[in-house]
Amino acid sequence: MSETAPSPKPASKPKAEKPPALEDLPFHEFISQHYLPALHQAFAKNGVTDLILDFQSDRIQGKWQNQLCQFVLYFAKPDINSQKAFACADWGKTPSNIEPFLIDERKATLDLMVFGVIQRLTAQKWLSRN
């Protein structure tokens, strides 16, 4: 009886490198190129067409209704998973009550961060009537 040599396994294709998740991008890139546009879209879905967003190194400020309604999202450090705080004010007042934002979440995602702002302002009855 003759033994046949096992046929060699076909060479496996090298795995293509996955691009990094949006949330793994550098903080400023994530905020500027992904979070702010997503926030604009979410506000537009809620009927806000005059949203103005201003991103500084540690905060995002949003204003609409001729700048009468506004919110500020603060970051403790340039990391979307760092501690965050939220403040809002209407009728031209300066935001004064700062509250924790998404404190129970271990990993922040784009969708979660957008949802958090929309949910908070909806609770304030600024985006839709409850």
Side-chain angles (χ1 to χ4, degrees), residues 40-57:
H40 264 286
Q41 287 179 340
F43 271 80
K45 285 181 184 176
N46 283 281
V48 175
T49 58
D50 64 338
L51 179 66
I52 300 168
L53 292 173
D54 179 34
F55 172 48
Q56 298 171 11
S57 62

Side-chain angles (χ1 to χ4, degrees), residues 9 13 18-19 22 26-27 30 35 39 41-42 50 57 63 65 80 83-84 95-96 103 105 115 129:
K9 292 182 181 178
K13 294 181 183 178
K18 280 185 176 179
L22 293 178
F27 177 75
F30 171 81
Y35 185 59
L39 213 47
Q41 287 179 340
D50 64 338
S57 62
K63 297 179 181 183
Q65 288 189 356
I80 64 169
Q83 290 182 337
K84 294 172 275 308
S96 59
I103 58 172
E105 307 303 327
F115 174 76
R129 300 291 175 216

